Amino acid sequence: MAHSNGEHTAADGEAPSVPRSLAPARKVALITGITGQDGSYLTELLLSKGYEVHGLIRRSSNFNTQRLDHIYHDPHAVPSTPRPPMRLHYADLSDSSSLRRALDAIQPDEVYNLAAQSHVAVSFEIPDYTADVTATGALRLLEAVRLSRKPIRYYQAGSSEMFGSTPPPQSEDTPFHPREAYGLFACNGVLFNHESPRRGENFVTRKITRAVGRIKVGLQTKVFLGNLTAARDWGFAGDYVEAMWLMLQQDQPGDYVVATEESHTVEEFLQAAFGYAGLDWKDHVVIDKKYFRPTEVDSLKGDSSKARRKLKWKPKVGFQQLVEMMVDHDIELANKEKVLVDAGYRDPKQQP
């Protein structure tokens, strides 16, 4: 089937095909959740390291590939323009047969499972779907890896939310042992909150920076939030995908916490974001009880000493730098919105 912008993916009912023009000497990686924040950064990282990258996407009437638009190259464009070795294929974590067909056709060396229903508040609203995709979906993919014709190294994206109300700092002391039954090289990355300008706009950090941009240019005046005292260990997604890759380059698989080891409240994020833009957050923030979670996790701060020691990994982007990066991006985005509003192409009351 042809993508609306010229991209070609697997045809209906057929296994994804791998173009013969790709150099066989390259390492091959398969990424689920490739269209998300982490997937796009990981794609950039692996391409920079000479990988051939394949991504799985779900069938939809709308394409959700905007985070990859700067990477994707239309095969109908000027032939002299080099094409990055990246391909997208249709498959779904809820369908084991599509996963097996994809692995059989692509034959990856490494699989990165980043796909999930990852929004915590939404998980309470659609628990059956969340469990099917996030938990059973990972099982389906692991089974496809186990039955593969070649050894595959597997990365599973975990979440700091698994620690719940355990007092911080949280580390790998609580063991996870998904690898032992079949001798798989499978790593579990317990990634604490990681943000970027590519973060979904319904996550609190991006909701804040989008509001800062729109308020700064006069497109809105208020932003509605929930618990401002909740504290999180926020890092930059671009740093965290490097840790994912490093896990699969080790001699032995392992579980790793990936975190900055710093914790900041939502209020501190507000102060940093609004202050950087020359605004006072107290003039614009309204507390709305509907944004409070049924069970709130008060504080998360990771202990990433194992990753720093064994992977030689450490975050490069600090908290303030991360906030400023996101605010700069969203002020620029708001300025583009304002052009449409001023020209009458968009309702000024329409918020993202």
Side-chain angles (χ1 to χ4, degrees):
M1 175 177 289
H3 190 297
S4 59
N5 64 359
E7 177 181 349
H8 289 274
T9 56
D12 287 342
E14 296 178 3
S17 61
V18 182
R20 297 179 179 177
S21 59
L22 296 178
R26 292 181 185 271
K27 266 191 173 181
V28 179
L30 174 64
I31 303 173
T32 71
I34 193 171
T35 60
Q37 168 188 255
D38 295 1
S40 64
Y41 281 112
L42 181 60
T43 298
E44 290 174 345
L45 176 72
L46 295 178
L47 289 174
S48 74
K49 294 182 179 297
Y51 278 64
E52 172 187 322
V53 177
H54 296 260
L56 301 186
I57 60 174
R58 291 177 297 172
R59 290 194 178 276
S60 172
S61 57
N62 296 310
F63 289 101
N64 181 32
T65 56
Q66 61 268 24
R67 292 187 180 96
L68 300 172
D69 285 347
H70 64 293
I71 302 173
Y72 173 73
H73 178 84
D74 189 336
H76 302 110
V78 181
S80 60
T81 306
R83 293 180 60 190
M86 182 195 77
R87 304 291 181 271
L88 300 178
H89 310 268
Y90 287 124
D92 197 306
L93 286 180
S94 65
D95 179 41
S96 58
S97 61
S98 69
L99 298 176
R100 292 181 185 180
R101 285 197 303 270
L103 262 70
D104 284 346
I106 297 166
Q107 290 291 295
D109 300 293
E110 299 171 4
V111 170
Y112 296 83
N113 185 24
L114 311 186
Q117 196 302 100
S118 60
H119 196 282
V120 177
V122 174
S123 72
F124 289 104
E125 298 171 5
I126 49 172
D128 288 353
Y129 174 79
T130 300
D132 183 53
V133 173
T134 307
T136 312
L139 175 63
R140 294 183 187 107
L141 186 56
L142 272 168
E143 185 68 359
V145 167
R146 184 177 74 86
L147 297 174
S148 174
R149 298 192 298 270
K150 63 182 286 189
I152 297 174
R153 295 190 170 201
Y154 177 89
Y155 172 84
Q156 175 61 45
S159 168
S160 59
E161 296 290 337
M162 295 186 299
F163 291 115
S165 59
T166 304
Q170 297 93 354
S171 71
E172 299 89 352
D173 286 345
T174 301
F176 298 95
H177 298 291
R179 300 172 299 273
E180 296 174 355
Y182 298 108
L184 297 176
F185 193 111
C187 297
N188 185 49
V190 183
L191 274 58
F192 279 64
N193 297 65
H194 45 292
E195 319 299 313
S196 78
R198 301 177 194 174
R199 186 58 137 160
E201 294 181 10
N202 56 344
F203 286 83
V204 66
T205 51
R206 188 75 196 289
K207 183 176 181 178
I208 290 170
T209 60
R210 282 290 275 133
V212 168
R214 289 174 58 83
I215 290 168
K216 184 71 175 178
V217 302
L219 291 178
Q220 74 182 70
T221 59
K222 302 292 182 182
V223 59
F224 297 88
L225 299 173
N227 183 8
L228 302 189
T229 63
R232 294 293 183 268
D233 185 331
W234 278 304
F236 173 52
D239 290 340
Y240 285 38
V241 299
E242 182 181 16
M244 298 177 190
W245 174 76
L246 286 168
M247 291 178 206
L248 298 193
Q249 313 314 309
Q250 305 307 302
D251 292 334
Q252 297 295 326
D255 300 327
Y256 296 89
V257 164
V258 182
T260 69
E261 301 187 348
E262 295 180 12
S263 186
H264 298 272
T265 63
V266 175
E267 182 174 330
E268 288 177 282
F269 196 100
L270 282 168
Q271 291 171 341
F274 277 83
Y276 177 62
L279 300 168
D280 186 342
W281 70 269
K282 294 179 182 178
D283 295 334
H284 304 284
V285 173
V286 178
I287 302 301
D288 188 333
K289 293 295 184 182
K290 78 175 184 179
Y291 292 114
F292 282 73
R293 295 180 182 177
T295 55
E296 184 59 79
V297 177
D298 295 324
S299 179
L300 290 172
K301 183 173 75 170
D303 176 359
S304 57
S305 54
K306 179 181 176 182
R308 295 172 190 244
R309 183 178 68 255
K310 292 194 171 184
L311 304 181
K312 309 303 181 188
W313 175 90
K314 65 179 181 180
K316 300 181 181 69
V317 176
F319 176 73
Q320 185 62 36
Q321 185 181 354
L322 171 64
V323 174
E324 293 178 5
M325 174 198 307
M326 295 175 69
V327 170
D328 284 339
H329 174 274
D330 285 337
I331 288 178
E332 181 181 351
L333 185 58
N335 278 316
K336 293 177 181 177
E337 281 186 88
K338 192 172 188 305
V339 171
L340 296 176
V341 169
D342 291 345
Y345 292 112
R346 183 166 182 168
D347 184 349
K349 295 181 181 179
Q350 182 183 349
Q351 295 190 18

